[in-house]
Amino acid sequence: MIAKRYEPFWKTTPMAQMAPSEWESICDGCGKCCLQKMVDDETEEVYYTNLSCHQLDINACRCKVYDQRLEKVEGCLSLRPEDVAAFDWLPDTCSYRVLHQTGDLPNWHPLVVGSDREMKTQGLNVSHYAVNENTVDEERWEEHIIKWVHGMPEPYDPTY
Ligand code: SF4
Ligand code: SF4
């Protein structure tokens, strides 16, 4: 007898129809969306810095005020399935983007692996390079611009 193979929910349930707990579990906890961004006035291009929101617990890559984040931090956003088409400002490795674009999660995702082991091994969360935004003067934020290559940070030299 051949055992029936069950597909995981993220392959069978459209994002807009996921239960809230399923939707939340798609977040891989990388913390990249909690890094401060700078926008070029002329091109509107978004540049990420390695400066994290002051409410991010950098070691754990967890928001310290998750349930009240929208009231506590101006500019913090709630990601909703209906906004998925506008997710292009998120990093390429964001699992919401990956799932939207490919129909599957990356092979290092905690739901696939069963833990965050692969994310830690591959350095895919920000804990090893993020710096609390409150420790750097805003005039010097430009020096903290980064770009990611295969999910890893590299110093970036802006030409604008
Ligand atoms: S970038 Fe995407 S996957 Fe990473 S913490 Fe933010 S929402 Fe979650
Ligand atoms: S308030 Fe929390 S979720 Fe929002 S940007 Fe800051 S650390 Fe991230």
Side-chain angles (χ1 to χ4, degrees), residues 34 53 55-56 63 69 73 76:
C34 300
C53 168
Q55 294 290 8
L56 184 72
C63 176
R69 66 195 187 285
V73 174
C76 181

Side-chain angles (χ1 to χ4, degrees), residues 31 33-35 37 52-57 62-66 68-70 72-73 75-77 133:
C33 60
C34 300
L35 297 177
K37 302 151 205 63
S52 74
C53 168
H54 60 284
Q55 294 290 8
L56 184 72
D57 175 335
R62 295 268 168 225
C63 176
K64 291 185 272 190
V65 293
Y66 191 73
Q68 306 90 40
R69 66 195 187 285
L70 303 180
K72 296 241 180 205
V73 174
C76 181
L77 297 174
E133 62 180 338

Side-chain angles (χ1 to χ4, degrees), residues 4-5 8 23 26 33 44 76 96 100 106 131:
K4 191 167 178 185
R5 190 167 166 226
W23 174 254
I26 298 303
C33 60
E44 295 190 358
C76 181
Y96 289 107
H100 175 59
V131 174

Side-chain angles (χ1 to χ4, degrees), residues 42-105:
E42 288 170 14
T43 65
E44 295 190 358
E45 192 164 349
V46 176
Y47 294 91
Y48 272 80
T49 73
N50 72 335
L51 300 169
S52 74
C53 168
H54 60 284
Q55 294 290 8
L56 184 72
D57 175 335
I58 292 175
N59 282 329
C61 268
R62 295 268 168 225
C63 176
K64 291 185 272 190
V65 293
Y66 191 73
D67 290 338
Q68 306 90 40
R69 66 195 187 285
L70 303 180
E71 297 88 57
K72 296 241 180 205
V73 174
E74 193 184 342
C76 181
L77 297 174
S78 179
L79 300 180
R80 302 174 306 171
E82 55 268 39
D83 300 329
V84 74
F87 284 3
D88 58 349
W89 59 270
L90 285 168
D92 290 346
T93 58
C94 172
S95 291
Y96 289 107
R97 285 195 76 183
V98 175
L99 181 58
H100 175 59
Q101 289 167 357
T102 70
D104 202 355
L105 291 176

